[in-house]
């Protein structure tokens, strides 16, 4: 434990470490496959209700993450995974007032947190179909 305290003593406590940033990024990448797996396991048990959700998994996941991320951005100033690791987003170039996120900042963050990953997965699927992967 002494080693860890010596390592952290020189670092700025207000800034996240590289390990926290990498862990936060990996956690956000692994949420979708984990939720897909849980849904598929329960879809075998309750096919009447959950097969439709499994067929529309990407859209349902995007809608769920839009609601969750919007809640966390508005209330805690960071995404779900950022709040989990104790980091938050602040406005840097704000001259007067507080550094909290505005409504526009929240929606811009949602585009990058939810919209672009959904678009990327759609484009990856189209590429797989076009190249003969599926």
């Amino acid at each position: 434990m002494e080693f860890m305290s010596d390592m952290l003593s020189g670092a700025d406590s207000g800034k996240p470490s590289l390990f926290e940033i990498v862990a936060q990024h990996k956690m956000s990448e692994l949420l979708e496959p984990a939720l897909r797996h849980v849904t598929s396991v329960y879809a075998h048990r309750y096919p009447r209700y959950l097969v439709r959700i499994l067929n529309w998994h990407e859209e349902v996941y995007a809608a769920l993450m839009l609601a969750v991320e919007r809640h966390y951005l508005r209330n805690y100033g960071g995404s779900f995974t950022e709040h989990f690791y104790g980091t938050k987003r602040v406005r840097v170039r704000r001259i007067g007032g507080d550094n909290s996120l505005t409504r526009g900042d929240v929606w811009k963050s949602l585009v990058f947190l939810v919209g672009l990953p959904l678009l990327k997965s759609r484009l990856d699927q189209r590429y797989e179909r076009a190249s003969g992967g599926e």
Side-chain angles (χ1 to χ4, degrees):
M1 286 304 211
E2 262 179 65
F3 176 70
M4 290 299 289
S5 65
D6 288 343
M7 271 181 49
L8 296 176
S9 64
D12 184 12
S13 63
K15 293 182 181 179
S17 68
L18 177 66
F19 299 112
E20 289 173 330
I21 293 172
V22 170
Q24 178 258 323
H25 182 68
K26 289 293 182 187
M27 182 179 171
S28 64
E29 287 178 353
L30 294 175
L31 282 175
E32 194 268 336
L35 189 62
R36 180 185 295 269
H37 178 72
V38 169
T39 306
S40 66
V41 167
Y42 279 108
H44 287 291
R45 245 184 210 180
Y46 307 106
R48 183 176 191 173
Y49 306 108
L50 295 177
V51 168
R52 291 184 190 118
I53 293 175
L54 192 59
N55 290 339
W56 291 90
H57 176 76
E58 289 180 1
E59 291 81 6
V60 171
Y61 177 75
L64 177 69
M65 288 311 291
L66 182 73
V68 168
E69 297 291 5
R70 183 172 178 263
H71 169 75
Y72 274 89
L73 282 168
R74 288 179 72 202
N75 294 330
Y76 301 110
S79 68
F80 171 71
T81 54
E82 290 168 349
H83 179 69
F84 185 80
Y85 283 101
T87 60
K88 67 179 192 175
R89 298 171 184 224
V90 294
R91 290 185 60 104
V92 176
R93 290 190 246 159
R94 189 90 181 229
I95 295 179
D98 59 350
N99 289 336
S100 63
L101 299 176
T102 63
R103 185 177 290 187
D105 294 335
V106 169
W107 284 107
K108 289 174 192 172
S109 295
L110 286 173
V111 166
F112 284 100
L113 290 170
V114 179
L116 290 181
L118 179 64
L119 181 64
K120 181 190 176 299
S121 70
R122 293 294 173 121
L123 291 174
D124 287 344
Q125 285 179 356
R126 286 212 175 160
Y127 177 75
E128 286 292 325
R129 283 191 207 127
S131 66
E134 284 187 7

